[in-house]
Amino acid sequence: MINFANAELGEIAIHRVGNKHRATRNFISPALYDLDEATRELLHNFFLKPMKRQIDNLHRFVHNEDVNLNEVNIFAKTIFNDRESLLTESVNILEHLYRQSTHPSIKTGEVYVVFIDGIVVLDEVVSAIGIFKTEEKSQFFQVRPDGDMMAIKKQKGVNINKLDKGCLILNTAMDSGYRVLHVDNNQYDAAYWYHNFLGLDYVKNENFHTRNYLQLCNGFSEEVVAAGADQGEQIKFLSNSVDYFTSNEVFDLEDFTKTVIPEPEAAKEFQAYHETYIPEKTNGFNISKAATKSASRAFKSTIKLDTGIQIKLDVFNPESSRQFIERYYDEDKGMYCYKIFFNEELP
């Protein structure tokens, strides 16, 4: 869907944002930064590698009244229409971010606004605007000759393996809000970056619906199934849910309920939970295999016992849970027991 293989970093503006609450000021650079090739390559990986992991979580700009009133959407549109306006609009972006820094926990940091060419979206080559913020500084040391001795000097700098905050604004779907990839690894204030500064919401496509229904299944497992069954049954339900999503191309709620929750009482509980979690039933959407795999990573897959033993099950293989594990009560020991069948131990 989105490919960064031929993406190239262009013009870049670098500023520093303060904290309005603490009255720390912004630092505004008077000109674009001239990147050498080594730094360009370093920043290419630093900015875009985290975005590659977000390609199944597409967002768009929104606004309570009109998307054309979303500030970052306006700044991006100006830059896309006039590339030479990047420095001016980067200052507008900086000041807009500063106005959202109204809580003492919001960190100051460097803000990078960069123009990027050569990103492929649905077989179309588009440009993009990246807005990135670095907040945390890591300690490191350098070792170098000092006279006739080697000396160690402690320093602080940006960790190139962790981007604190960032978004990539793709020059597509302008009329309904540019499509955006988003990263926030320092979520000390969930509203600050995502809602207040960027004003984003999910694009409700097959990835969104697949992820949403699997999160519903996970919630139902933890809040309803777990209340009346053991951990093994809880994991079996999740395994059966994942099996439905991996085995079918299109999601049908009625078919899903009959297949995964055939017991009438449990099906009624699921319907009631569904109405609370997703009031508007979404039916007939194409199932995203990538979103299925991603969302399933959060599922519980380990049975933890009070004897210190743990049994790990594969949520992508529900047949193993059904055929090769049994739970029963051992009268002689006066304890519950899991019986597991296998042919040989694997290395």
Side-chain angles (χ1 to χ4, degrees), residues 1-3 24 36 65 92 100 105 130-131 151 156 199 227-228 240:
M1 181 180 179
I2 303 175
N3 191 302
T24 53
D36 58 53
E65 298 178 22
N92 290 332
Q100 313 313 313
S105 66
I131 304 173
K156 273 190 173 184
N240 292 334

Side-chain angles (χ1 to χ4, degrees), residues 30-90:
L32 297 174
Y33 187 77
D34 187 16
L35 291 175
D36 58 53
E37 284 307 310
T39 307
R40 190 182 302 275
E41 182 178 351
L42 180 72
L43 291 180
H44 181 283
N45 293 328
F46 180 56
F47 292 152
L48 296 184
K49 188 176 180 180
M51 296 300 163
K52 293 177 183 178
R53 296 192 287 265
Q54 300 298 322
I55 58 176
D56 294 323
N57 299 322
L58 202 57
H59 299 77
R60 68 183 182 93
F61 289 121
V62 294
H63 191 274
N64 291 337
E65 298 178 22
D66 185 341
V67 68
N68 293 306
L69 298 176
N70 179 296
E71 288 90 339
V72 181
N73 191 77
I74 294 170
F75 304 144
K77 185 181 294 186
T78 302
I79 298 171
F80 284 133
N81 290 335
D82 179 11
R83 188 164 174 165
E84 293 184 0
S85 69
L86 186 137
L87 179 61
T88 300
E89 295 306 317
S90 72

